[in-house]
Amino acid sequence: MKKILYILMGLMGLMGCNETVENAKQESVLPKIYPDYLGVTVPVNIAPLCFNMADETALRIDAVITDSHGNSLHAQGDESADFDLDDWHALLAANPGDSLTVSVSAKYDDGWHTYQPFSVYVSPDSIDYGLCYRLIAPGYEVWSKMGIYERDLSSFDERPLIENTQFEGCVNCHSFNRGNPADMSLHIRGSHGATLLRHDNSPLVAYNTKTPETLGLCVYPYWHPSGRYIAYSTNTTRQLFHSADPNRVEVFDEASDLQVYDVEKNELILSPLLKQDSIYETYPVFSADGRSLYFCVARPPLSFGEGMGVGLLDSIHYNLCRIDFDPHTGTFGDQIDVIVDAAAQGKSVSFPRPSYDGRFLCYTLSDYGQFSIWHHEADLYLLDLATGQSRPMDRANSEDTESFHNWSTNSRWLVFSSRRDDGLFTRPYFCHVDTAGTVTKAFMLPQRNPRRFYRDRFLSFNVPEFITGPTRFDSRQASRVINAESRKDFGVRIE
């Protein structure tokens, strides 16, 4: 009885925290909220779209969400509209394929203001369990604390897989086979450098991926759908700072090649076609059926020197190319086809990512180069693999950088990095892409109190990757493997 009384008292206390919205001025405009969730399409299983008023002078915010069946959900707070997690999911589960109406009121010094309602469409297409990303300060030359983290997309739960406080170095290039955490690749840079591989949930193994036949370490991994192969590039990379260009910093390759790793045979497969001195090859990805390899190709500038600047770098334009790959024999075709001739447009392609249903390929288009994360003009483009036609993803793009991206396993959702929020930090955004290629307005990764969360966390979300379930990554075991001196070498097979 006493327990029930305590529960009732707690509920009354919560109810007492809310104010009645009365004598409100009825505004004729839509509310300006942060993040901008007006008219977005969301997965049926996404975390609550909590939000703040964009105007920071608001004293209180009140939000009511209703559906066409008369069900409603209410949230009120000093800073954010924070919806109950269970009630939110119940409301979405009752409305797949339908729209919800959101009514917002805000209290200012002169009292309450009620704005015109807006809608949120609930797609019946679910999104994957979670997202895996690197959190890193947006620096240029040195790294501080960083780590790889996973986030449950149906809630606000986040946990670290591994942080570089457990060893000295940098973590990057995390990759999964179509979001399956049983097949995982993770690259470590620094004095304990290695590539960690896990296949079919086998124990982690640390590899030395540099061989006498290759330029350097294997980076930019992409798994074959069978799980047997991983495509890598090997890049000799430099960076420089612009004195006046708004892109601030440029990361570029002096040389780069491609290779495919055979997990079963522990050998790199090299082809002369993908290892040409006069060509830069980078960002390899397998097609949905595993029978092609897409990648980016550019010709180097005339010369590299100490005085190189943007005047030379802006002549480097990458095209999207493709070569056949036979997964049964682990061999490549005998010709390279140009799929998107960006160089002819004075543009450059980076980060090709085919949808897993084989229908589309999304890529980033910028003015030059292949490291688009600092290019404010970079936008997402959608290639229709059936027609060969490309078009900008206007509803997903913004006036600032759109860069790295990846598909959900059902090929209906795209996650991508964007600097649209403040021009400095990359944050994850999502959009829906239907079978006809229709793209919806993008929305930011939900947080309980978005303004406070993103303002207090001075970190960029780097390389967001979907995962189909918890990674169950043992960070202590990984730390032992990283800090150990032993590394397994790759073998090599040259076609």
Side-chain angles (χ1 to χ4, degrees):
M1 187 70 180
K2 185 180 292 186
K3 183 177 180 180
I4 295 174
L5 180 61
Y6 285 151
I7 293 173
L8 289 173
M9 289 173 63
L11 290 173
M12 291 174 65
L14 289 173
M15 293 172 62
C17 291
N18 287 339
E19 294 184 20
T20 302
V21 178
E22 56 186 3
N23 300 320
K25 179 182 178 181
Q26 301 298 312
E27 301 287 355
S28 61
V29 296
L30 292 166
K32 293 183 178 180
I33 62 174
Y34 176 82
D36 177 10
Y37 289 140
L38 277 65
V40 298
T41 295
V42 299
V44 68
N45 58 331
I46 195 67
L49 300 186
C50 304
F51 57 85
N52 312 93
M53 295 302 294
D55 183 350
E56 297 189 44
T57 63
L59 304 174
R60 199 159 182 80
I61 181 172
D62 183 277
V64 178
I65 304 179
T66 57
D67 66 10
S68 59
H69 312 293
N71 302 308
S72 64
L73 181 60
H74 181 224
Q76 188 180 113
D78 292 336
E79 294 187 18
S80 69
D82 183 359
F83 300 103
D84 179 83
L85 183 66
D86 293 334
D87 292 344
W88 168 270
H89 282 300
L91 187 64
L92 264 60
N95 290 278
D98 205 350
S99 291
L100 305 175
T101 300
V102 186
S103 299
V104 177
S105 299
K107 184 180 181 181
Y108 293 91
D109 288 336
D110 63 349
W112 285 96
H113 295 247
T114 298
Y115 300 88
Q116 293 297 306
F118 65 90
S119 64
V120 170
Y121 179 75
V122 182
S123 171
D125 294 323
S126 61
I127 203 165
D128 289 325
Y129 158 80
L131 206 62
C132 188
Y133 42 78
R134 182 171 67 157
L135 289 176
I136 183 172
Y140 307 113
E141 292 185 317
V142 297
W143 60 72
S144 54
K145 180 183 176 182
M146 67 169 68
I148 307 293
Y149 301 81
E150 70 175 47
R151 159 73 187 267
D152 182 345
L153 289 176
S154 67
S155 71
F156 302 102
D157 295 339
E158 179 190 80
R159 79 173 189 92
L161 272 63
I162 190 166
E163 297 173 313
N164 67 342
T165 54
Q166 299 169 264
F167 62 94
E168 183 180 352
C170 163
V171 288
N172 66 347
C173 288
H174 56 281
S175 177
F176 306 91
N177 182 12
R178 298 192 177 205
N180 180 6
D183 289 340
M184 180 180 181
S185 175
L186 176 64
H187 189 58
I188 309 296
R189 288 190 293 176
S191 58
H192 298 280
T195 291
L196 305 185
L197 286 181
R198 179 171 74 181
H199 182 46
D200 284 339
N201 278 324
S202 60
L204 282 172
V205 177
Y207 287 87
N208 168 30
T209 61
K210 172 69 175 74
T211 74
E213 294 84 3
T214 53
L215 289 171
L217 299 171
C218 292
V219 295
Y220 304 140
Y222 193 93
W223 289 78
H224 191 271
S226 68
R228 176 173 174 176
Y229 303 101
I230 309 173
Y232 288 105
S233 70
T234 304
N235 305 64
T236 302
T237 303
R238 285 179 57 189
Q239 70 175 11
L240 59 78
F241 294 90
H242 297 301
S243 60
D245 192 285
N247 288 330
R248 305 187 188 194
V249 64
E250 201 64 51
V251 179
F252 59 94
D253 289 336
E254 288 185 328
S256 58
D257 294 324
L258 301 185
Q259 52 268 314
V260 168
Y261 175 61
D262 187 329
V263 177
E264 293 181 5
K265 295 184 177 181
N266 185 37
E267 64 182 15
L268 287 176
I269 306 168
L270 308 182
S271 167
L273 282 175
L274 303 177
K275 199 176 183 302
Q276 301 182 54
D277 292 339
S278 60
I279 297 292
Y280 296 161
E281 306 96 346
T282 192
Y283 297 140
V285 293
F286 286 108
S287 59
D289 62 6
R291 302 193 64 82
S292 298
L293 189 71
Y294 293 99
F295 53 99
C296 298
V297 173
R299 294 192 178 277
L302 296 177
S303 64
F304 281 105
E306 293 299 322
M308 173 147 72
V310 69
L312 187 57
L313 287 178
D314 64 9
S315 68
I316 304 176
H317 299 102
Y318 284 80
N319 288 333
L320 176 64
C321 294
R322 186 193 66 84
I323 191 171
D324 289 337
F325 179 76
D326 187 338
H328 300 294
T329 60
T331 55
F332 297 99
D334 56 7
Q335 72 176 42
I336 294 174
D337 299 316
V338 177
I339 305 302
V340 175
D341 189 353
Q345 311 167 45
K347 296 290 185 178
S348 194
V349 172
S350 57
F351 302 126
R353 285 295 185 274
S355 59
Y356 299 125
D357 61 3
R359 184 73 176 82
F360 301 106
L361 183 146
C362 181
Y363 62 89
T364 302
L365 195 71
S366 56
D367 285 347
Y368 61 89
Q370 48 81 27
F371 203 78
S372 53
I373 194 62
W374 280 108
H375 279 243
H376 295 285
E377 81 284 355
D379 279 332
L380 300 179
Y381 276 66
L382 193 66
L383 168 65
D384 188 325
L385 291 173
T387 66
Q389 298 299 309
S390 288
R391 55 186 171 83
M393 299 176 68
D394 291 332
R395 300 210 70 194
N397 291 324
S398 71
E399 295 300 314
D400 216 306
T401 308
E402 273 71 53
S403 189
F404 185 89
H405 47 271
N406 225 321
W407 295 90
S408 63
T409 55
N410 62 5
S411 299
R412 296 283 69 85
W413 297 98
L414 195 76
V415 62
F416 59 93
S417 300
S418 178
R419 293 193 191 275
R420 69 184 65 190
D421 196 30
D422 57 15
L424 180 62
F425 294 93
T426 52
R427 283 156 186 161
Y429 281 76
F430 304 86
C431 65
H432 184 266
V433 183
D434 67 15
T435 55
T438 304
V439 180
T440 62
K441 178 180 176 179
F443 67 93
M444 188 190 287
L445 175 66
Q447 307 293 348
R448 279 203 180 280
N449 186 332
R451 180 185 294 121
R452 183 176 293 275
F453 179 91
Y454 288 114
R455 180 173 292 174
D456 291 349
R457 179 176 269 190
F458 292 101
L459 298 170
S460 281
F461 289 75
N462 183 251
V463 190
E465 293 262 0
F466 283 110
I467 47 176
T468 57
T471 57
R472 309 196 188 284
F473 188 86
D474 188 333
S475 62
R476 288 177 295 182
Q477 179 209 16
S479 179
R480 289 193 295 269
V481 171
I482 293 169
N483 287 305
E485 294 183 3
S486 61
R487 298 287 185 265
K488 188 173 181 179
D489 291 326
F490 276 0
V492 173
R493 172 164 65 89
I494 301 176
E495 285 194 351

